[in-house]
Amino acid sequence: MIKSPAISARSARFLLLAAIVLPAAACSPVGDGGEEAVAPSLEERIEEVAEKVTDELSAEAQWLDDRFFEIGSTFDGYLGIAMTDMQTGEVVHFNGEEALPQQSLSKLWVALAAFDQADDGKLGLEDRATVTFSDLTVFHQPLRKQVVANGSFTTDYADYIRRALTESDNTANDMVLKAVGGPDAVRAVLRRKGLEGIRFGPGERRMQAAIAGLEWDQRYSVGKTFFEVRDEVPDAVRKPAFDAYVADPVDGAQPVAIASALAKLANGELLSRGSTDAYLSLLDDVKSGPNRLKGGLPPEWSIGHKTGTGQVFDPKPVGGPAEQAGYNDVGILTAPDGKRYSVAVMIGRTARPVPERMDLMHEVVGAIAAYHGRVTGGTSESAS
């Protein structure tokens, strides 16, 4: 897409709207004076909508809007970027209203449900539960080593939440998910908290199997079995399953919705003060993705975040482009002066190398830091 100088990033999502309303304008060929009226061009309609939308933003936010467009539109992939200024409530985004694969970002909502139930006295975080072989899931699950070595593993729910968020342990997350009542219970919390634009899928095992064109079998949780079985799935089966997931992800979420939810969490609107502090502390301790958003932090900035990483489809025979469905990082940026900005960068699908994806995330963080400098009257190396 070629960007007209006067069209901001935000106008991009109105392309379809303009294409729809244009024929309606053309249905009135006669002007007020009886002369033939000329319908506005598609670009003129887009310009009109863009001006109305950007007029709602501050000058600093309009600048960031354009930066997000420059960053997002030059990256070869299907993605969305969003930021909420937690001081003013302004939201800036590029393609931020698209439902994109969350993958392990969904652990955020399991933890939210658990802390919410703890606040209501329905779940004791000090209560203990045991993981056995039948509880193991797929992909990243450090707990599996404990279960394989000892036959089981026991700890309390507070520890399972910690492992799910800070280590992105899928089995630990499943233990919490079962404790809160399963996917329906998490969806109910999202609805009750007013967190629209965020879906919650059927759980890790069923979802990951479906993305690979498989049905879940508990044998897949052991060793490299899942990978070995997945490699035997014909491309004619696996690619349509992969494509269908990206097009309409069962765990899809809008970047603007996640940025908004994180802002509400940090502002204490979703949980009690104690649970909010505990939750944010865990995000501060996340170990995954040290060179995603976190790798772009300017000096004295900090971030509490959560990553999400999906499956790679590598066509057979080997040599075709390998695409990944979901390469994400979301979090709460804190400037040296204490001002905070929630941010979501979600790459729904791309074949670009990982370093390029990290560079994109670094650019987003740099742009937000520059925006902060403009708002506060400070300076930033990224502001030019």
Side-chain angles (χ1 to χ4, degrees), residues 150-195:
N150 304 306
S152 65
F153 175 81
T154 302
T155 190
D156 58 40
Y157 286 114
D159 189 46
Y160 284 127
I161 295 171
R162 180 190 66 79
R163 292 170 182 268
L165 289 180
T166 67
E167 301 176 18
S168 209
D169 189 307
N170 288 333
T171 293
N173 189 66
D174 257 24
M175 294 299 290
V176 182
L177 179 60
K178 283 186 281 188
V180 300
D184 284 343
V186 176
R187 295 176 192 126
V189 170
L190 291 171
R191 287 194 300 271
R192 182 160 50 83
K193 301 290 185 181
L195 303 183

Side-chain angles (χ1 to χ4, degrees), residues 98-158:
E98 288 293 310
L100 300 169
Q102 290 188 83
Q103 291 294 317
S104 282
L105 298 185
S106 63
K107 292 181 173 70
L108 291 167
W109 321 124
V110 177
L112 178 67
F115 279 117
D116 184 62
Q117 290 191 10
D119 284 342
D120 291 342
K122 298 176 181 177
L123 177 66
L125 299 184
E126 72 284 355
D127 292 345
R128 297 170 70 80
T130 299
V131 178
T132 65
F133 281 98
S134 65
D135 299 306
L136 296 178
T137 57
V138 68
F139 299 145
H140 190 65
Q141 45 179 338
L143 278 179
R144 181 170 57 187
K145 292 182 180 179
Q146 303 270 8
V147 175
V148 171
N150 304 306
S152 65
F153 175 81
T154 302
T155 190
D156 58 40
Y157 286 114

Side-chain angles (χ1 to χ4, degrees), residues 70-350:
E70 293 169 7
I71 295 168
S73 64
T74 55
F75 182 82
D76 187 8
Y78 174 46
L79 75 156
I81 303 167
M83 181 217 70
T84 296
D85 183 326
M86 293 172 57
Q87 290 64 234
T88 67
E90 283 195 298
V91 177
V92 181
H93 70 90
F94 169 80
N95 205 36
E97 295 178 337
E98 288 293 310
L100 300 169
Q102 290 188 83
Q103 291 294 317
S104 282
L105 298 185
S106 63
K107 292 181 173 70
L108 291 167
W109 321 124
V110 177
L112 178 67
F115 279 117
D116 184 62
Q117 290 191 10
D119 284 342
D120 291 342
K122 298 176 181 177
L123 177 66
L125 299 184
E126 72 284 355
D127 292 345
R128 297 170 70 80
T130 299
V131 178
T132 65
F133 281 98
S134 65
D135 299 306
L136 296 178
T137 57
V138 68
F139 299 145
H140 190 65
Q141 45 179 338
L143 278 179
R144 181 170 57 187
K145 292 182 180 179
Q146 303 270 8
V147 175
V148 171
N150 304 306
S152 65
F153 175 81
T154 302
T155 190
D156 58 40
Y157 286 114
D159 189 46
Y160 284 127
I161 295 171
R162 180 190 66 79
R163 292 170 182 268
L165 289 180
T166 67
E167 301 176 18
S168 209
D169 189 307
N170 288 333
T171 293
N173 189 66
D174 257 24
M175 294 299 290
V176 182
L177 179 60
K178 283 186 281 188
V180 300
D184 284 343
V186 176
R187 295 176 192 126
V189 170
L190 291 171
R191 287 194 300 271
R192 182 160 50 83
K193 301 290 185 181
L195 303 183
E196 299 178 354
I198 300 172
R199 299 176 185 170
F200 189 81
E204 201 71 27
R205 290 179 279 193
R206 283 179 54 194
M207 184 180 76
Q208 299 299 349
I211 294 171
L214 296 165
E215 291 187 6
W216 177 254
D217 187 310
Q218 190 57 26
R219 293 174 300 170
Y220 299 163
S221 67
V222 180
K224 297 182 179 180
T225 305
F226 182 85
F227 298 96
E228 293 168 353
V229 173
R230 188 180 68 180
D231 286 344
E232 297 301 318
V233 178
D235 282 359
V237 173
R238 191 175 171 209
K239 187 176 188 306
F242 184 89
D243 291 343
Y245 168 68
V246 175
D248 189 18
V250 293
D251 66 336
Q254 300 171 346
V256 292
I258 291 184
S260 173
L262 290 174
K264 289 180 179 179
L265 172 67
N267 284 330
E269 299 175 31
L270 302 181
L271 299 168
S272 69
R273 176 63 181 271
S275 291
T276 297
D277 290 346
Y279 198 137
L280 295 177
S281 178
L282 290 174
L283 295 184
D284 289 341
D285 291 340
V286 166
K287 298 176 178 61
S288 60
N291 202 26
R292 295 192 193 186
L293 290 173
K294 193 172 186 177
L297 290 176
E300 300 183 25
W301 282 66
S302 63
I303 187 172
H305 68 129
K306 181 71 190 79
T307 59
T309 308
Q311 291 189 49
V312 174
F313 172 61
D314 194 353
K316 296 183 282 287
V318 176
E323 293 186 289
Q324 190 158 29
Y327 191 86
N328 310 320
D329 201 3
V330 305
I332 300 163
L333 290 164
T334 303
D337 61 5
K339 288 184 170 57
R340 296 183 296 180
Y341 307 91
S342 59
V343 58
V345 179
M346 302 175 68
I347 304 175
R349 181 173 192 159
T350 190

